[in-house]
Every structure is written in C-alpha cells, then in structure tokens.
Amino acid sequence: MKPDAVVSVKFYSKDNGGRITPISAHHYQCVFLTSETKGFDCRLLLSEEKTLIPEKVYELEVKFLDSHAALAEIESLFEFQIWEGKVIGEGKLIKILLDTE
C-alpha cells in the first residue's frame, strides 16, 4: 500500500483520555478529525510490527480512504485529532507524498 503522506502523531495516555492499551500492529485504522464534524478514514502504516506507546511522538506514513479530499483538508490545517470512538491523540502533517494535482 503506497502512503499518501507522512505525519507526526501522539496518542494520549489513559489518564489524558486516550487508549487503555498501546497499539501493536503492522497498521492501525483510525479517523483523522479536522473539525468536530469532519473526519477522514485512514491507516497508519508501520514498516513492521510496532508498538505505539501513549505520550510518545511518532513520525509515520498514512494512507487515506479518500486521499485527495483528506489531503486538501489537512494541508490547509496542518493539524488533526485522532478519533477512535473518542479523541485519543493528535497529529501534524509533515509531508505529502501523493501528487494531489
């Protein structure tokens, strides 16, 4: 799966409203919220089985279900929240890899 962008993400700790457990996987499906009512389905792509620990910052590749719409929105904001039934983290756009033209 070819990534659309590189993002910096931080998952909140349980005490700060985040997940109860760390994320361990090759990819992680979530929603990037750009406002209270607008979000984009995506996968954070991990090059290998990796454990994402809350409160640490990770630079990861991301693939969106609707790449062009998501990147247009996130590119104008640069920041987003990570949603999994509730807001569990935050992130920033680092670099777009997909040609959006």
Side-chain angles (χ1 to χ4, degrees):
M1 184 176 305
K2 189 174 178 183
D4 296 327
V6 177
V7 295
S8 172
V9 297
K10 176 183 173 184
F11 292 92
Y12 301 146
S13 69
K14 176 184 162 189
D15 294 337
N16 289 324
R19 291 175 50 95
I20 295 171
T21 59
I23 296 165
S24 294
H26 287 290
H27 68 270
Y28 172 67
Q29 293 178 225
C30 59
V31 175
F32 282 12
L33 291 179
T34 55
S35 72
E36 286 185 26
T37 58
K38 196 167 194 179
F40 298 93
D41 291 315
C42 68
R43 282 189 178 180
L44 295 175
L45 306 175
L46 310 175
S47 58
E48 57 189 48
E49 179 90 15
K50 191 173 203 172
T51 300
L52 303 177
I53 308 293
E55 298 300 324
K56 289 192 176 190
V57 177
Y58 296 93
E59 194 170 295
L60 302 170
E61 293 178 332
V62 62
K63 177 68 178 171
F64 293 100
L65 186 60
D66 184 350
S67 303
H68 292 286
L71 291 172
E73 182 82 13
I74 292 169
E75 185 176 27
S76 67
L77 299 173
F78 294 104
E79 297 181 351
F80 54 86
Q81 293 180 309
I82 302 167
W83 187 78
E84 183 187 273
K86 63 180 181 176
V87 174
I88 60 162
E90 59 192 46
K92 295 180 184 177
L93 176 66
I94 294 175
K95 180 180 180 181
I96 293 176
L97 303 173
L98 178 73
D99 182 12
T100 56
E101 294 182 16

